[in-house]
Amino acid sequence: MFKGHPKGLMVLFFTEMWERFGFYTMLALFTLYMKHYFGWDTDKSGQVYGLYLAFVYFTPLIGGYIADKYLGYRKTINIGAAILMVGYALLAVPNPSEMFFYFALIVLVVGNGLFKANISVLVGNLYDNNSPLKDAAYNIFYMGINIGAFLAPLAASFLRNKAPIYIKNWFGINVNGFNLAFGAAAIGMLLSLVIFNVYKEFYLDSDRVKHEEASLNGKEISPEQEKERIFALLVIFFIVIFFWMAFHQNGFALTLFADESVKRSITIFGYTLTIPPELYQVFNPLFILILTPVVVGFFGYLARKGKEPSTPAKIGIGMLLTGFAFLIMVAASLAGGDLNNNSVSPMWLISTYMVVTFGELCLSPMGLSFVSKVAPPRIKGLMMGGWFVATAIGNYLAGFVGRYYHKWPHSKFFLLLSVLAFVSFGLVMLSLKKLNHATREEID
């Protein structure tokens, strides 16, 4: 998989993999922790969930600026990783007050802001801007993200539900499964930090505080061309807000649907499997790992035929598929999910995760590559932060809209998400010509 790529890609792959393990271990239990430990209702937990995710993805804008102007990418990432480790360790403290819980979330927000955008910039900086390997590099990097995301719900479910029983039986000690899972997230961040520093010589050349010249493909970028590229980025940022608003219902509405509407078990080939609600979050990264070769192979086939869609067109396809994914949830709700009596087949929810994953593969890794290619070099960290700001707004809206999950029939709630995704697809198609012009490889 890494053949032909710089060794630094492997270092960044595993650094990001363990960081995402920590993030998604915490996220898998976040809503359930607020519900079962603090006893918060959907309205309050939705607000906290949305605000946390909004700030987690907004602060990379600041972290990117700090790296561009002052510290460089490696130092900024190191500081962010250390702060993240402390934040997860704080969540692992037993019996926290609400204020202590909020403080731990603030620490996580700061650490993530310094870490997240800058490691994505480092990946792009390993390659020349016109390198044919850059898109593939981001696909590989995205697989690292999702290996961590795949392992996280498995670890979270085991540590929450099984590990306390084993510890009680073996050692006679009562422990809280939530705290064990948050402690595992802190260990994941420690591994991320160690890998990033032990093998730093493989990516040091890509750690540039400033780019000496604002050029692309060996030619100078005029102010007009820079404005055109920034405008194209802003258009894409606006459109993907609605993807993240829908996608991040995986930790809120889709988790609540799994907890309240889906049957607790499924029979496959005569075997009955029990699926805890938090474990459904494993399907998205699992499908990422399975479907990435399919999507990459399909677009490679189209490229050989001269019919591969442009990067903005792929983002539009991702929005279209997201709309269809949430239409499945509309059908699931009408088939019994609206009743909240755990009567719906798990296959409805699993099917939704599969379709939305196809959409994600057309949108998210291509978005990272798009920013790396199009962003003016002097503000690359800032613009990568802008991608995460779009994610932040979508995440806040995920929680804001999530407050209506129990106020409306679930079918109506999921229909809203589907319609917004289809509208976003339409916006991409309407602006596709201008977006393609801004992302042309050669500068006139």
Side-chain angles (χ1 to χ4, degrees), residues 98-400:
E98 286 192 21
M99 291 305 299
F100 189 88
F101 177 65
Y102 290 142
F103 175 71
L105 296 182
I106 291 170
V107 173
L108 291 174
V109 165
V110 173
N112 188 84
L114 296 171
F115 184 99
K116 187 60 181 165
N118 293 311
I119 194 167
S120 298
V121 173
L122 278 185
V123 172
N125 283 355
L126 291 170
Y127 302 83
D128 293 333
N129 202 64
N130 266 348
S131 171
L133 294 174
K134 182 174 278 194
D135 280 353
Y138 276 103
N139 278 314
I140 293 170
F141 181 68
Y142 204 70
M143 285 190 71
I145 291 172
N146 284 280
I147 290 173
F150 171 74
L151 295 173
L154 298 174
S157 180
F158 173 78
L159 292 169
R160 179 199 171 203
N161 298 302
K162 300 294 185 181
I165 298 173
Y166 294 141
I167 293 173
K168 173 68 174 177
N169 292 338
W170 294 344
F171 304 106
I173 301 173
N174 290 315
V175 293
N176 185 292
F178 286 112
N179 298 133
L180 288 176
F182 297 145
I187 294 172
M189 278 312 309
L190 176 62
L191 291 173
S192 176
L193 193 59
V194 169
I195 292 168
F196 189 67
N197 284 281
V198 169
Y199 300 102
K200 63 184 178 183
E201 69 270 18
F202 294 121
Y203 63 81
L204 278 179
D205 287 345
S206 65
D207 179 29
R208 298 189 290 275
V209 178
K210 294 182 180 179
H211 293 259
E212 287 75 15
E213 54 180 355
S215 64
L216 195 62
N217 301 344
K219 298 181 180 180
E220 294 296 322
I221 298 178
S222 70
E224 292 75 17
Q225 290 162 339
E226 183 171 295
K227 289 178 182 179
E228 180 186 35
R229 289 175 177 270
I230 292 174
F231 177 76
L233 287 168
L234 293 176
V235 170
I236 291 296
F237 293 166
F238 174 76
I239 289 167
V240 301
I241 285 172
F242 299 101
F243 171 79
W244 296 118
M245 182 185 73
F247 177 82
H248 276 292
Q249 295 301 329
N250 60 355
F252 195 75
L254 294 182
T255 295
L256 292 173
F257 191 88
D259 191 34
E260 300 165 354
S261 299
V262 175
K263 294 177 182 177
R264 282 287 185 263
S265 60
I266 183 173
T267 301
I268 302 176
F269 302 120
Y271 293 94
T272 300
L273 303 175
T274 300
I275 308 178
E278 65 269 22
L279 198 58
Y280 280 92
Q281 292 188 50
V282 81
F283 286 105
N284 173 247
L286 175 63
F287 285 134
I288 288 283
L289 301 179
I290 295 172
L291 298 176
T292 293
V294 175
V295 172
V296 172
F298 177 68
F299 284 131
Y301 169 78
L302 292 179
R304 291 190 294 272
K305 297 288 186 179
K307 297 180 180 180
E308 183 182 13
S310 66
T311 300
K314 291 176 183 176
I315 292 173
I317 293 169
M319 293 304 308
L320 181 65
L321 290 170
T322 301
F324 285 121
F326 283 92
L327 278 183
I328 294 174
M329 289 307 302
V330 173
S333 300
L334 294 174
D338 283 341
L339 302 177
N340 289 337
N341 61 359
N342 296 108
S343 63
V344 173
S345 168
M347 294 309 299
W348 287 105
L349 195 52
I350 294 170
S351 298
T352 296
Y353 275 116
M354 184 180 70
V355 177
V356 82
T357 298
F358 267 119
E360 181 186 4
L361 285 170
C362 292
L363 187 147
S364 192
M366 290 302 97
L368 295 173
S369 183
F370 176 78
V371 176
S372 179
K373 291 178 179 179
V374 175
R378 66 183 182 85
I379 53 170
K380 188 168 286 188
L382 186 68
M383 288 293 97
M384 190 65 77
W387 169 265
F388 291 106
V389 167
T391 310
I393 297 170
N395 291 343
Y396 173 75
L397 291 175
F400 178 83

